[in-house]
Amino acid sequence: MRSVAALAVALALFPLTIALPGRAQAPIEGGTEIGDAPALEPGTYTGSIPSGETRYFAFDLTEGQTAAVELLVGGSRSPRPLPVRLRLYNSRRVEDPFAGEPVFVEGRERARVVARTGVAGRDPDYAAPGPHYVSVTAESGGARSGPLRFELRIEVEKGAAAPRPP
């Protein structure tokens, strides 16, 4: 009985932090220009963006890493489909034209778009490690009230092994 009480006291005094996977972190606000992009750690974030605007975010890739970026958006209140776009940029701030296609959100639908980077330091379009960038754009879509809410997930993975020289 004494050992159970001692264990309970020890646990009460021991600070414990539990990270819940799959839960979005606190809301984020992106930069209005790529140079103002806040740096994000890999994880899931929530945010909102006014109609007709773009927000930028940064994330780091080291040599040999790749990133998968996922954007989830809820339905719009616009009478017309609302185009939403996810774009990736390399460390030189050059857009990857093949990374993210626009999606069109209407009614109460949810839309999802995923983009992947190349291998940092190995892929010609991602030749340099360092900060890479992602942007979220909510195009103007007619009469719509309120900002578009979104969830942004950034996953960084080790890339494919580099071939060994002969």
Side-chain angles (χ1 to χ4, degrees), residues 21-24 28 40-47 55 57 59 66-74 84-88 99-101 103 110-117 133-137 149-157:
R23 301 230 11 199
I28 54 171
L40 301 177
E41 294 293 322
T44 302
Y45 302 88
T46 60
R55 294 291 184 260
F57 307 93
F59 58 93
T66 63
V69 180
E70 179 181 40
L71 176 69
L72 291 166
V73 292
V84 177
R85 181 125 191 220
L86 173 71
R87 294 181 178 104
L88 289 180
E101 294 295 322
V103 295
R110 287 181 53 88
R112 173 181 176 253
V113 62
V114 177
R116 296 189 70 81
T117 69
Y133 303 89
V134 59
S135 69
V136 177
T137 302
R149 300 194 190 300
F150 65 87
E151 185 174 291
L152 183 67
R153 182 174 318 158
I154 300 171
E155 294 179 3
V156 173
E157 307 162 347

Side-chain angles (χ1 to χ4, degrees), residues 14-81:
F14 183 76
L16 181 64
T17 304
I18 298 174
L20 298 175
R23 301 230 11 199
Q25 298 180 19
I28 54 171
E29 290 188 32
T32 55
E33 296 181 14
I34 200 166
D36 298 331
L40 301 177
E41 294 293 322
T44 302
Y45 302 88
T46 60
S48 61
I49 183 170
S51 178
E53 294 191 19
T54 298
R55 294 291 184 260
Y56 297 89
F57 307 93
F59 58 93
D60 280 327
L61 291 181
T62 60
E63 178 82 23
Q65 288 184 321
T66 63
V69 180
E70 179 181 40
L71 176 69
L72 291 166
V73 292
S76 89
R77 294 185 187 146
S78 172
R80 299 183 319 214

